[in-house]
Amino acid sequence: MSETKTSAPDSTPAAGDEDLGAAGSQLSTAPAEDAPNLPSLGVIGWARWFWRQLTSMRVALLLLLLLSLGAIPGSLIPQTGIDETKVAEFRKAHESLAPIYDKLGLFNVYSSVWFSAIYILLFVSLIGCIVPRTWQFVGQLRGRPPGAPKRLTRLPAYTTWRTDAEPEQVREAALALLKKRRFRAHLTGDAVAAEKGYLREVGNLAFHIALIVMLTAFAWGQLFKSEGNKLVVEGDGFSNTLTQYDDFKSGSLFTQDDLDPFSFNLKNFTGTYEASGPNKGTPRIYKADISYSVGADGKDKKTTIKVNEPLEIGDSKVYLVSHGYAPVITIRDGKGNIVYRDAVPLLPLDGNVTSTGAIKVMDGYRNAKGEREQLGFQAFFLPTYVKGNELASQFPALLNPVINLEAYHGDLGVDAGIPQSVYQLNKKNLKGFKDAKGAQVRENLKPGESMKLPNGAGTVTFEKEIKEWAGFQVARQPGSGWALAGSLAAIFGLAASLFIQRRRVWVRAATGSDGVTVVEMAGLGRSESAKVPEELGDLAGILYEQAPGAPDAEDDPAESEASPDPQVVPAEGAEK
C-alpha cells in the first residue's frame, strides 16, 4: 500500500545535514542580519558602522515615520510660503509662542533645516538599501533554485509514496508538471527543484523604488514650482509674466524663464445658482469662456474653463478659483468732465457675493476751487438687495443690485511710494464729504442712478452695465506626473509584496532498498501560509495519478488500487 505522511521537523539538525540552509536561503532579498559587532576604532570603522545603520530597513522606516510626523506642523501651523497673512495673524495672536516657532522653523517647515535633513537622510537610506538588494535579486533571477535538502522530512510540508514507475519517469513527469504550473524548475541529481513567486520581491523593490521616485518628484516640484493668482474682468486679458500677477509664489530654483509663454482674454463669465430649496444660492454652473494663444505668434483658440477643469498649457494649469462683480462707475468733476470710468472689481464677503472694495481717482480731478485733489470711495455692493436688510445680499445673482458709496477727498497716500491694497482706502489723509447736516455723504445707488457730491464737487454714476470678474490660478508643478506614477507604483508594489507568496518545491524519486521507486515531495515558503501545503497536496495528487502507488509486499493488490491520493498537512509547530 502506498504511504502518505506529514513529518514534523526535527528540533535540532542532524549531523552533516547542513544543506537545508541553502535550500531555504534567498527567499528574500533582505540583507542578512549580522551578529552585533562593534566597528574597529578609527574614522573608517565608524563610517562603515554608520552607513550600515543608515541603510538598514529599520532606520528607513524610522526616517519615514519622522518625515510623516514632521509634516504635521506644516499642515496645522500657517506657513509663510502659503499664506503670509495668516502667519502675521498667528504672530499677533501668540506673541510668546511665535518666537519659539521661528527658532524651530515651524512657519516654514518644508524648507527648514531639520525637515530637509530628514528628507535627505531618508533618500540616502532608501538608495543604500535598494541598490544591493536589487543586485542580489538580479543574481537570483539569473541563478537556479537550490537543490533538494538531504532530508526532505525536515521541511514543513512533506509527503511520500512508493510507485512502480521508474525514477526517471517520475522526475520527468514532475518537471513537466511544475513548469506547467509556472514554476522555475530543473533537474538536480535525483530530484527536481522548483521555485515560484519571484514577483513578491519585484513588488517589494518596486515599492521602495517608487518611494524614491515620489521623494524626488516632491523635491523637484518644491524647487521649481510656481503659483500665481490673477483677477480678470470680462473684456480684459492676462499675459503670463511676473508683472501681470496679483500675487505670486515660487520655488527657490524657479526663474522667470520657466514660465510658459501664453496669454488669454476673458470673453464671458457665466454663473447660475439654485433658485429654491435647501440649497438655494448654491452654484450650479461656473464657467469662463476665454480665447488664448501660446507663444508670441500663436493662433487664437477658444475654450471654456470650469471648476476642476483647468486649461493645460505646457507644464502650467489655469484653474478657475473665484468669481465676483465689477460695477461700472463713472465719476465727473464739477464741470462735467469725466475723470474716471471703469469697471471696479469688488471682493465677495459671503456665499451670496456681498462685496466690498474701493474706488480711487488718483489723477485728473480738480475741485470746485480748481485745486488738484484725489477722490476715494468706499463701496459696498449687494447683487440682490432686499429693503430692510442693507448688510448682506439675499442671493448671489443680479436680481436687484444696489451699491452703497461713501465719498472722501484729499490725499490717497499713493504718491508716497508705499504699497497699498487696491481694495481698501487709506483714510489717514482723507476727509469725508459732508452733507448740509454735517453727516458723512453715503448713498445707495441702483443701476443708472447718480450721486451728487456736495459744493459742486462733481457726480458719481452707477452705470447700468455690471461686469463680472473671474479669479484664475496659474499653477506649475513639474514633478506632479512623476509623483502620481510613483504613488501608483508604490500601491501595486505593496500589494504584490503582501499577497504574492514565494515558495519552493522539491520532488525526489529514487530506487528504494527493495527495488521500488520511492517518491518524496516537500515544500517551503518564505512566510507562514496555508498555501504551501495546499499547493503541494494538489501537485502531489496530480503526480500520483501519473505514478500511482505500488502495493507493499504484505498487502493485497486490490487494496492498493483503492488507496487514496496522498494528502499533505502542515507539520505541527513547523513553518508553513
Side-chain angles (χ1 to χ4, degrees):
M1 174 180 283
S2 63
E3 180 184 3
T4 303
K5 64 181 181 179
T6 300
S7 67
D10 300 339
S11 58
T12 57
D17 190 15
E18 299 176 352
D19 58 341
L20 179 59
S25 66
Q26 296 183 347
L27 278 173
S28 169
T29 56
E33 293 290 342
D34 298 331
N37 184 22
L38 293 176
S40 58
L41 295 177
V43 177
I44 297 178
W46 282 107
R48 184 183 296 112
W49 177 84
F50 177 79
W51 176 253
R52 288 179 179 177
Q53 298 302 314
L54 180 61
T55 56
S56 67
M57 190 57 64
R58 291 189 301 271
V59 172
L61 293 175
L62 178 61
L63 290 171
L64 188 61
L65 175 62
L66 291 176
L67 192 70
S68 302
L69 294 176
I72 294 177
S75 302
L76 300 179
I77 300 174
Q79 300 293 293
T80 54
I82 298 177
D83 195 334
E84 294 186 3
T85 302
K86 288 186 177 181
V87 174
E89 294 175 353
F90 187 93
R91 292 179 187 276
K92 186 176 181 181
H94 305 84
E95 295 181 356
S96 59
L97 195 60
I100 300 176
Y101 282 11
D102 278 325
K103 292 180 180 180
L104 296 177
L106 296 182
F107 289 123
N108 52 350
V109 168
Y110 303 111
S111 58
S112 63
V113 175
W114 58 268
F115 190 86
S116 300
I118 297 174
Y119 195 91
I120 294 173
L121 286 175
L122 176 60
F123 193 84
V124 174
S125 177
L126 286 174
I127 293 178
C129 182
I130 289 174
V131 171
R133 292 187 67 165
T134 302
W135 284 115
Q136 183 180 354
F137 181 64
V138 170
Q140 292 182 25
L141 290 178
R142 297 177 62 183
R144 291 186 172 186
K150 294 180 180 179
R151 296 176 59 187
L152 292 177
T153 56
R154 292 174 53 85
L155 298 182
Y158 172 82
T159 185
T160 182
W161 71 91
R162 293 153 51 87
T163 181
D164 289 331
E166 295 295 328
E168 293 79 4
Q169 296 177 351
V170 176
R171 290 193 289 267
E172 291 177 0
L175 182 63
L177 172 61
L178 291 170
K179 287 185 175 181
K180 185 178 180 181
R181 293 295 184 92
R182 299 192 303 275
F183 278 83
R184 293 178 59 199
H186 71 106
L187 287 171
T188 170
D190 60 352
V192 177
E195 187 170 0
K196 192 177 184 180
Y198 279 87
L199 286 180
R200 178 187 180 94
E201 297 304 326
V202 173
N204 192 9
L205 292 173
F207 172 75
H208 291 87
I209 293 175
L211 287 181
I212 294 179
V213 173
M214 292 172 62
L215 290 174
T216 304
F218 178 77
W220 186 267
Q222 290 296 312
L223 292 173
F224 292 94
K225 71 175 183 179
S226 65
E227 180 181 296
N229 295 285
K230 178 64 179 179
L231 186 152
V232 182
V233 179
E234 288 177 328
D236 293 343
F238 167 77
S239 180
N240 193 27
T241 60
L242 290 180
T243 56
Q244 289 277 299
Y245 284 99
D246 295 331
D247 61 83
F248 188 84
K249 299 186 292 290
S250 64
S252 57
L253 297 183
F254 172 84
T255 63
Q256 187 171 350
D257 295 336
D258 295 327
L259 291 173
D260 294 304
F262 68 88
S263 61
F264 66 84
N265 293 309
L266 177 60
K267 299 298 184 181
N268 182 57
F269 180 88
T270 303
T272 61
Y273 309 89
E274 292 286 347
S276 60
N279 296 322
K280 181 180 178 180
T282 302
R284 297 181 60 187
I285 297 176
Y286 263 5
K287 65 178 183 178
D289 298 321
I290 69 169
S291 63
Y292 72 97
S293 61
V294 180
D297 301 323
K299 296 182 179 179
D300 283 346
K301 301 178 183 179
K302 295 182 179 180
T303 188
T304 298
I305 302 177
K306 300 180 181 179
V307 177
N308 297 326
E309 296 182 16
L311 169 65
E312 297 188 26
I313 303 176
D315 291 333
S316 300
K317 292 184 179 181
V318 183
Y319 293 91
L320 176 63
V321 294
S322 58
H323 156 258
Y325 294 104
V328 178
I329 303 296
T330 300
I331 301 175
R332 294 177 172 86
D333 60 16
K335 296 181 179 181
N337 299 319
I338 297 177
V339 295
Y340 182 91
R341 180 183 174 86
D342 202 357
V344 183
L346 303 177
L347 298 181
L349 299 176
D350 56 28
N352 286 327
V353 202
T354 304
S355 306
T356 185
I359 304 170
K360 301 179 182 182
V361 181
M362 294 177 285
D363 297 309
Y365 174 77
R366 292 179 180 271
N367 59 22
K369 299 179 180 180
E371 299 172 346
R372 290 185 178 183
E373 266 191 326
Q374 294 177 332
L375 300 180
F377 300 85
Q378 191 69 50
F380 191 74
F381 181 73
L382 284 72
T384 301
Y385 169 76
V386 175
K387 190 174 182 179
N389 187 356
E390 299 182 354
L391 298 179
S393 174
Q394 301 302 301
F395 196 74
L398 295 172
L399 301 183
N400 185 26
V402 167
I403 190 169
N404 179 277
L405 295 178
E406 188 175 302
Y408 296 87
H409 65 99
D411 183 7
L412 293 172
V414 295
D415 297 332
I418 301 174
Q420 59 177 250
S421 173
V422 297
Y423 304 104
Q424 295 179 345
L425 282 180
N426 181 1
K427 300 178 183 178
K428 181 178 180 181
N429 298 316
L430 292 177
K431 298 179 180 180
F433 281 102
K434 306 295 182 179
D435 60 14
K437 297 180 180 180
Q440 170 69 47
V441 172
R442 179 186 299 155
E443 287 189 27
N444 287 342
L445 302 178
K446 291 186 176 182
E449 295 183 345
S450 297
M451 176 178 70
K452 290 185 177 181
L453 300 176
N455 302 321
T459 59
V460 181
T461 302
F462 178 20
E463 303 291 348
K464 293 184 178 181
E465 181 183 12
I466 302 177
K467 294 185 178 183
E468 299 187 52
W469 60 260
F472 297 94
Q473 182 182 85
V474 182
R476 184 178 180 275
Q477 195 77 25
S480 58
W482 284 101
L484 176 61
S487 61
L488 293 177
I491 292 173
F492 287 111
L494 183 61
S497 64
L498 290 177
F499 297 109
I500 296 178
Q501 299 293 327
R502 189 170 179 183
R503 60 268 189 202
R504 289 171 178 166
V505 172
W506 292 274
V507 181
R508 175 175 287 148
T511 304
S513 57
D514 56 356
V516 179
T517 301
V518 178
V519 181
E520 292 182 291
M521 294 187 66
L524 178 65
R526 174 186 174 185
S527 58
E528 294 186 3
S529 171
K531 188 171 185 178
V532 173
E534 290 177 1
E535 188 171 31
L536 185 68
D538 182 38
L539 293 172
I542 297 175
L543 187 60
Y544 187 84
E545 294 177 357
Q546 300 180 33
D552 293 333
E554 66 277 7
D555 292 335
D556 188 277
E559 295 180 2
S560 174
E561 294 177 0
S563 63
D565 291 344
Q567 301 294 321
V568 179
V569 181
E572 183 179 356
E575 182 186 5
K576 300 178 183 179

